[in-house]
Each structure stands twice: as structure tokens, then as C-alpha cells.
Amino acid sequence: MNYLEELNDAQRRAVETTDGPVMVIAGAGSGKTRVLTYRIAHLIKKGIDPFNILALTFTNKAAKEMKSRIASIVDASEAANIWMGTFHSIFARVLRFEADKIGYPSNFTIYDTQDSRNAIKAIIKELNLDDKVYKPSAVFGRISSAKNNLIGPDDYMQHPELIAQDESSGKSQLRFVYKRYSEKCRRSGAMDFDDLLFNTNILFRDHPDILLKYQHKFHHLLVDEYQDTNYAQYLIIKKLAALRENICVVGDDAQSIYAFRGANIQNILNFKNDYPDYHLFKLEQNYRSTKRIVEAANSIIEKNKGQIKKKIWTANEEGELIKLVKNYTDNEEGSFVAQTTFEIHNQERNPFSDFAVLYRTNAQSRALEEAMRKINIPYKIYGGLSFYQRKEIKDLLAYFRLTVNHNDEESLLRVINYPARGIGKTTIEKLQVAASEYNQSIWNIIEEIANYPININSGTKNKLSDFVTSIKSYRTMHDTHSAFELGEHISSSTGILKELYLDKTPEGVSRYDNIQEVLNGLREFTESEDEQKSLSDYLIDVALLTDADQDQEDDRNKVTLMTVHAAKGLEFPYVYIVGLEENLFPSQMSVSSRSDLEEERRLFYVALTRAKKRAFLSYALTRYKWGSLNNCEPSRFIEELDPSFIDFPTQSGPPKSGLQKDGFRKRTSSAPPVRRKLQSLQNAQKSEGSAGSTLGLKEGMDVEHQLFGKGKVLKIEGGKATVFFPKVGQKQLLLKFARLNIL
């Protein structure tokens, strides 16, 4: 096959321009995956060794699918040699080879978010801190943000601005938690997700010979979803590309929606500054959606000022108008979605998997789930509890991890008395104290228990000795048995399988089946390649799965319920965007600055462009929040859409007494809709703010905001105040509209 003939002109130019820096701006549904795939295949066809190609994707699933498509163009064995995967999976692989250079073992454990939070929770307890103030999830988020900005624990300890922010939020000891958490991870031979990128940067910074080695190795770099890279990722790419500058980045600034994770849209906007002689290609033809959906999406995203200009178009059919539906309650909204899905499914014979319901926050799923259950529509919550986060799975994986890395403290604490072997809480606490006192891992303490003056009776010492012997026996088998053989032996010999088998409750049967599913997965993993696959290889594979990689087979024919953030990169024939109300979508946290509001608008753009055939927009006039019924008004994003593409609106149910109609009326053939004019941020009237309340405002003052609560003024400049709020973090506010009250 001549793969180049399958490309349009813009796609083909992007594929064939293989030398020097290249930026491909790929609009929604414009075939960027095809361009990336064919570009890599084209490089190999031109004689580039696949071992010298590094391709960084958004999910491991995407990498696997791309490799499969490349294998259909070039030799399959060649395609297998490409370094392709997510940032975390690729640089975890690099660190496996180089970890000793930065003081880690090559068999380091990769902690997931829950492991990290558990470790932080234990540290908060050790330091006698209030866990209501130092919430593990919030502390972990703060540490994660620091690492993504390449601020290590020692740097943090000397950072006056960060310390001041912590003190103003009542967390003056946070830097000590960070320091101890870092020490705990190193002692356990463990890295969390952020460490994989942080430590790669440290490796390349402190070992220029190692950096040069990988610069020579990777002749061509390709980066997908470049608009969603953070500072740590950006620096790694920039360093690796510095030698040859054969770098191709693909992305869409209009779909940059992960600032809350540290993604920096400036990375893509400033590409031209990093590489002034770059080639720019714009993929503007949409192959996914109808004309009306594409044009409506264009009409909303053009309101953003900070963007690379492009005009997305499609040769697809005109399609139906986008349906706007008014609901009087969130329960009616759920009923509308369920009923409409049921009708389309029956009339047009579409499978339920063709439908997706997108919302701004996970809390909105309740009313939707109830409505689906009432009329027996199968559904799945995308991004809910992962299969690998279930207790029985975490227990078995903890045994696997401890087998590979004896010093993994989180895994050891999880299974040292599971199944029960008579090692109580008091004993475990004594071991933790001793480990901290002697600066040793708990494993080292129990392995040499006779050498430490710990008050533990002989019976318990024997049980600890038996536990050590078991784990060591598994380790002995590691190098001589496949992942499946060893995994099956561990699940049986530890007593986990027996304990779950004896539990005949429905929950117990389900947990037993889940363990069997892990073993099935282990067998499949072991047999998937010609080479021998160890348990260590399997643990790396599981640890680096993203939410998008964990789509289970039994979920196939179900309606998908998910947040808009989780929908990135997916597409569905029918899409509902629900909860389009002010202070929900856009979020109330995002309407105080232009940059935040523009990110919310991009989020809406992403939601709308997931739809291939039909899109439904829905809002409610009342919605329960925190147990109280709140009146709502339609989102400003509805107002910003070109009305010629919208069917204005129907209502999902009869008016309830005491509720007023909201001013929208059903659209006629020629008359524009009569709608309540929502104020945009930049046109807000002066009456929205109280200028008098900010007279005399100075840096360092304590203030209160009606949405964000109490905070401290960090900086005042050019009519703006930078304020740190403990509840939501740092915000930049226009003093004219901020309504800040000086305390």
C-alpha cells in the first residue's frame, strides 16, 4: 500500500518533512494519530533505525494501537523496536538502566497515588500534625506541584515564597513532610509518578555523559499532545532534542485543558521561540463531526484571545442542529438523557456504547445513574475505581512488589499480617519506630531482628522470620519462573486464594473472581511476547497504566458517563454535555481571571468536539449542591455559541410551581432566540465589584473573597492583586471586580 496517498495535502507535508523542528497544529478530529503513525513509518522507510526513534504518547493504549498500525506498513519486528509510550513509561525504562547513578536500585517500586497518600498519612501521624489541616491528598498535591516544577525537598526548604504560602495556609510544617516523604521513598527504593520525570531531569542535569548517550540514541523525537506537557516534561524534551533538533510536536492549543495538573499551554505557544527555523503545519480538516458541530465549536473557541489561529472545516454532512434542553431540576436532566438515549437506541438500533454523557464534576453522575437504572440502561463510570485499586488486587500486587523489592515499605505494611499470621498492630508500630530510629527499612529490621533491641516476644519474632523466609523464597523463584508461574504460586501459598474462596458472600465471590482475572492477565502478559516476561516486567506494565488503558471487555456495550477531562482523545456518535450552568461549567473557581476562563472555554470546546453525529446541551434551573437546592442560570458558553447551529430550547418536563421560565424560547426559522444576556468577564459592570472595599489594600494583608474564602495578599500590581487562598491556591484578581474585604 502507498500510505502517503491516504493523506490530505497538509497531512502529507507534515509526514514528509522529517528533518529539523516541526510543529503540527492538529484540530479536533483532523487525523493527528494518522499523521504521527505515518510519519514514524516514513522515517523507517527512509532508513532511520527504529531504535533511534522516540515517540511520546498520551496513553499506553494509544502507543500500542499506533505500533500496530505502523507494523502494517513496515516490518512488524521493526515496529516493535520503536521507543514508544507515555512520558512515564519511557523514562521509567530509562531509569531502570540508570537508577544507580542517582542512588536508587534498578528494581525500584513505582508508587501510585494511593501508595503516596498512605505514606504521607503515616508521616503526618509521625510528626503529630493535625490531619484535618494537613490532608494527605492536599499535601500530596502540593508536593506533586513542586516536583513538576523541579523543586526538590532541599530547594523547598530554602524557598521563602513557598514557605510563606504554606504558613499563610496554616501548613507551616509542609516542607518537613515533603523532606521526610522523599527520604521514606528513597529508603523504600520507591518512586512516585512525579519522581519518574523529576529524577530523569536530575539524571540528565547531574550526568551530562548520560544525557549525551540518549541524545545520540534518539535521532528523532515525536511528542503527541504537546499542549499538555508540564515544565518537567518540556525540559526533558528540550534537552534530548538539543543535539540534532529533529523534533516533531503535535497538538492543539485549543484543547489544552490540564493546567490543574501543571500543563503549560505556553510550551506549544512558544515553540517558535525555542526553534525559530521551525516548520508549521496546520491540520484544519475535521473528519469526525458534522458541519454544524464543527462550526458551533469554532464559534465558541474563537472567543479565546490566547491561541494559534486556525479555521477548522469539514466536508462531512450538514447534520442536525445541536439540541439545547432546559430542565427544571438535575433529576429531570438525568431523565431527559436516559429517555433520549433509550429512544435513539430503539429507533436507530445504535449500541449503547455510541452514547457518552459528559459533565464538569464527578458529583453530577448521581442523578444520571439513577435515571439510567430506572429504565435499565447499562452504563459505566469512566475513571471510577480502577480494577487495580480494588483491595484484593492491591493486596496481591503488594506481595508481587515486595518479592521484587524487599524494601518497599508500603507493600510490606499492607501484607505483613494479611492473611492474618498473628503480627499485631503494636508489633508493627515498634518496627516502624525502630526503622525510623536506625534509618533502616522495616525489611532490614525484621531480617536482622536479633541485632536490634526491640521489645518483641519470641513467638512474634518467629512469625516475622517465617514471613521473611516466604518472601525470600518468592524472590529465588523470580529469575527462574515466568510472571504467571510465580504469580500463581504467590496467590496460592500466601493463602489469599483460599481466604477469598471460603468467603461465599456475593462480594467474596466477586473478589475471588478478580484475583482469577489478575492471574488470567498474568498468563496473557507472559505469552504476549517471545521473550521471557518476569514478574518485575509485569509490575512496571501495571504501574504505568492510565485510566484510558483500563477499559475492560465487559464494559463494551454501555453508555459512558465521564468528566470532560476524562473524555480527551475519545469520540462518540452521540454526546450529551450536561450541567451547562454558571459556576458549574464554567466552574466558579475559573471566572476570576482570563486565563482560567479561557481554559474552561477550551474544556467546553473539547466536550463539543467529541461528538460525531449529534450533540445535546443541557442545563437545569435548580440543582442540589451540598444538600441544598440552588437556583441556577444558563452558562455563558451557551450565549457565546452561534445561534444558527442551535435548536433553542425544549424543556424536559412541565414547569414546577414557584419556578420562573428563564427567558430562553424555542428557536423559530428566522427570529434569533431571545435570551438573558450573561455578562462576560471583560464586560462586567462596575456594580459587580466593590471598589471601596479594596481601598488601602496592601501586600501582606488578610482578606476575604465571597467565593474563595479567606486569603493573604502576596502582590499588588497594575490594578491586580495576587492572593493566596488556602482552599483554592493562588489567584490573580482584578481589584475593580474582586470584592475583597480587608480583615
Side-chain angles (χ1 to χ4, degrees), residues 21 23 226 249 266-280 307-308:
M23 180 162 71
Y226 190 62
V249 302
Q266 294 305 317
N267 291 348
I268 196 166
L269 296 179
N270 291 337
F271 188 81
K272 60 185 178 183
N273 299 331
D274 289 334
Y275 306 96
D277 58 342
Y278 81 114
H279 302 279
L280 173 65
Q307 62 175 299
I308 298 169

CSV table of all heavy atoms in Angstrom, one decimal, residues 21 23 226 249 266-280 307-308:
chain,number,residue,atom,x,y,z
A,21,PRO,N,13.1,21.0,13.3
A,21,PRO,CA,11.9,21.1,14.2
A,21,PRO,C,10.6,21.3,13.4
A,21,PRO,O,10.6,22.1,12.4
A,21,PRO,CB,12.2,22.4,15.0
A,21,PRO,CG,13.3,23.1,14.2
A,21,PRO,CD,14.0,22.2,13.4
A,23,MET,N,6.2,21.7,14.0
A,23,MET,CA,5.1,21.7,14.8
A,23,MET,C,3.8,21.5,14.0
A,23,MET,O,3.6,22.1,13.0
A,23,MET,CB,4.9,23.1,15.6
A,23,MET,CG,3.7,23.1,16.5
A,23,MET,SD,3.8,24.4,17.7
A,23,MET,CE,3.6,25.9,16.7
A,226,TYR,N,1.3,17.9,22.8
A,226,TYR,CA,2.3,18.8,23.3
A,226,TYR,C,1.8,19.9,24.2
A,226,TYR,O,2.5,20.4,25.1
A,226,TYR,CB,3.2,19.4,22.2
A,226,TYR,CG,4.4,20.1,22.6
A,226,TYR,CD1,5.4,19.4,23.2
A,226,TYR,CD2,4.6,21.4,22.3
A,226,TYR,CE1,6.6,20.0,23.6
A,226,TYR,CE2,5.8,22.1,22.7
A,226,TYR,CZ,6.8,21.4,23.4
A,226,TYR,OH,7.9,22.0,23.8
A,249,VAL,N,6.5,18.1,17.2
A,249,VAL,CA,5.5,18.1,18.3
A,249,VAL,C,4.1,18.3,17.6
A,249,VAL,O,3.9,19.0,16.6
A,249,VAL,CB,5.7,19.2,19.3
A,249,VAL,CG1,7.0,19.1,20.0
A,249,VAL,CG2,5.6,20.6,18.7
A,266,GLN,N,1.9,27.5,27.3
A,266,GLN,CA,3.0,28.3,26.7
A,266,GLN,C,4.0,27.4,26.0
A,266,GLN,O,4.7,27.9,25.1
A,266,GLN,CB,3.7,29.1,27.8
A,266,GLN,CG,2.8,30.2,28.4
A,266,GLN,CD,2.2,31.1,27.4
A,266,GLN,OE1,2.8,31.6,26.4
A,266,GLN,NE2,0.9,31.4,27.5
A,267,ASN,N,4.1,26.1,26.4
A,267,ASN,CA,5.0,25.2,25.7
A,267,ASN,C,4.8,25.1,24.2
A,267,ASN,O,5.7,25.2,23.4
A,267,ASN,CB,5.0,23.8,26.4
A,267,ASN,CG,5.5,23.8,27.8
A,267,ASN,OD1,6.2,24.7,28.2
A,267,ASN,ND2,5.3,22.7,28.5
A,268,ILE,N,3.5,25.1,23.9
A,268,ILE,CA,3.2,25.0,22.4
A,268,ILE,C,3.1,26.4,21.8
A,268,ILE,O,3.5,26.6,20.7
A,268,ILE,CB,1.8,24.2,22.2
A,268,ILE,CG1,1.7,23.8,20.7
A,268,ILE,CG2,0.6,25.0,22.7
A,268,ILE,CD1,0.6,22.8,20.5
A,269,LEU,N,2.7,27.4,22.6
A,269,LEU,CA,2.6,28.7,22.0
A,269,LEU,C,4.0,29.3,21.8
A,269,LEU,O,4.2,30.2,20.9
A,269,LEU,CB,1.8,29.6,23.0
A,269,LEU,CG,0.3,29.3,23.2
A,269,LEU,CD1,-0.3,30.3,24.1
A,269,LEU,CD2,-0.4,29.3,21.8
A,270,ASN,N,5.0,28.8,22.6
A,270,ASN,CA,6.4,29.4,22.5
A,270,ASN,C,7.3,28.5,21.7
A,270,ASN,O,8.5,28.7,21.7
A,270,ASN,CB,6.9,29.6,23.9
A,270,ASN,CG,6.3,30.7,24.6
A,270,ASN,OD1,5.7,31.6,24.0
A,270,ASN,ND2,6.3,30.7,25.9
A,271,PHE,N,6.8,27.4,21.0
A,271,PHE,CA,7.6,26.5,20.3
A,271,PHE,C,8.4,27.3,19.2
A,271,PHE,O,9.6,27.0,19.0
A,271,PHE,CB,6.8,25.5,19.6
A,271,PHE,CG,7.6,24.4,18.9
A,271,PHE,CD1,8.1,23.3,19.6
A,271,PHE,CD2,7.8,24.4,17.5
A,271,PHE,CE1,8.8,22.3,19.0
A,271,PHE,CE2,8.6,23.4,16.9
A,271,PHE,CZ,9.1,22.4,17.6
A,272,LYS,N,7.8,28.3,18.6
A,272,LYS,CA,8.5,29.1,17.6
A,272,LYS,C,9.7,29.9,18.2
A,272,LYS,O,10.7,30.2,17.5
A,272,LYS,CB,7.5,30.1,16.9
A,272,LYS,CG,6.9,31.1,17.9
A,272,LYS,CD,5.8,31.9,17.2
A,272,LYS,CE,5.2,32.9,18.2
A,272,LYS,NZ,4.1,33.7,17.6
A,273,ASN,N,9.6,30.2,19.5
A,273,ASN,CA,10.8,30.9,20.1
A,273,ASN,C,11.9,29.9,20.4
A,273,ASN,O,13.1,30.3,20.3
A,273,ASN,CB,10.3,31.6,21.4
A,273,ASN,CG,9.2,32.6,21.2
A,273,ASN,OD1,9.2,33.2,20.1
A,273,ASN,ND2,8.4,32.8,22.2
A,274,ASP,N,11.6,28.7,20.8
A,274,ASP,CA,12.6,27.7,21.0
A,274,ASP,C,13.3,27.2,19.8
A,274,ASP,O,14.5,26.9,19.8
A,274,ASP,CB,12.0,26.5,21.7
A,274,ASP,CG,11.5,26.8,23.2
A,274,ASP,OD1,12.1,27.7,23.8
A,274,ASP,OD2,10.6,26.1,23.7
A,275,TYR,N,12.5,27.2,18.7
A,275,TYR,CA,13.1,26.7,17.4
A,275,TYR,C,12.6,27.7,16.3
A,275,TYR,O,11.7,27.4,15.6
A,275,TYR,CB,12.6,25.3,17.1
A,275,TYR,CG,12.8,24.3,18.2
A,275,TYR,CD1,11.8,24.0,19.2
A,275,TYR,CD2,14.1,23.7,18.3
A,275,TYR,CE1,12.1,23.1,20.2
A,275,TYR,CE2,14.3,22.8,19.4
A,275,TYR,CZ,13.3,22.5,20.3
A,275,TYR,OH,13.5,21.6,21.3
A,276,PRO,N,13.4,28.8,16.1
A,276,PRO,CA,12.9,29.9,15.2
A,276,PRO,C,12.8,29.4,13.7
A,276,PRO,O,12.0,29.9,13.0
A,276,PRO,CB,14.0,30.9,15.3
A,276,PRO,CG,14.6,30.7,16.7
A,276,PRO,CD,14.6,29.2,16.9
A,277,ASP,N,13.6,28.4,13.4
A,277,ASP,CA,13.5,27.9,12.0
A,277,ASP,C,12.6,26.7,11.8
A,277,ASP,O,12.7,25.9,10.9
A,277,ASP,CB,14.9,27.5,11.5
A,277,ASP,CG,15.6,26.4,12.4
A,277,ASP,OD1,15.1,26.2,13.5
A,277,ASP,OD2,16.5,25.7,12.0
A,278,TYR,N,11.6,26.6,12.7
A,278,TYR,CA,10.7,25.5,12.6
A,278,TYR,C,9.7,25.5,11.4
A,278,TYR,O,9.5,26.6,10.8
A,278,TYR,CB,9.8,25.5,13.9
A,278,TYR,CG,8.6,26.4,13.9
A,278,TYR,CD1,7.3,25.9,14.0
A,278,TYR,CD2,8.8,27.8,13.9
A,278,TYR,CE1,6.2,26.8,14.0
A,278,TYR,CE2,7.7,28.7,14.0
A,278,TYR,CZ,6.5,28.2,14.0
A,278,TYR,OH,5.4,29.0,14.0
A,279,HIS,N,9.2,24.4,11.1
A,279,HIS,CA,8.2,24.3,10.0
A,279,HIS,C,6.8,24.1,10.8
A,279,HIS,O,6.7,23.3,11.7
A,279,HIS,CB,8.4,23.1,9.2
A,279,HIS,CG,9.7,23.1,8.5
A,279,HIS,ND1,10.0,23.8,7.3
A,279,HIS,CD2,10.9,22.5,8.8
A,279,HIS,CE1,11.2,23.6,6.9
A,279,HIS,NE2,11.8,22.8,7.8
A,280,LEU,N,5.8,24.9,10.3
A,280,LEU,CA,4.5,24.8,10.9
A,280,LEU,C,3.5,24.2,9.9
A,280,LEU,O,3.4,24.7,8.8
A,280,LEU,CB,4.0,26.2,11.3
A,280,LEU,CG,2.6,26.3,11.8
A,280,LEU,CD1,2.4,25.5,13.1
A,280,LEU,CD2,2.2,27.8,12.0
A,307,GLN,N,-4.3,32.1,21.5
A,307,GLN,CA,-4.4,30.9,20.7
A,307,GLN,C,-3.7,31.0,19.4
A,307,GLN,O,-3.4,32.2,18.9
A,307,GLN,CB,-5.9,30.5,20.4
A,307,GLN,CG,-6.7,31.6,19.6
A,307,GLN,CD,-8.1,31.1,19.2
A,307,GLN,OE1,-8.2,30.1,18.6
A,307,GLN,NE2,-9.1,31.8,19.7
A,308,ILE,N,-3.4,29.9,18.8
A,308,ILE,CA,-2.8,29.9,17.4
A,308,ILE,C,-4.0,29.8,16.4
A,308,ILE,O,-4.8,28.9,16.5
A,308,ILE,CB,-1.9,28.7,17.2
A,308,ILE,CG1,-0.7,28.7,18.2
A,308,ILE,CG2,-1.4,28.6,15.8
A,308,ILE,CD1,0.1,27.4,18.3
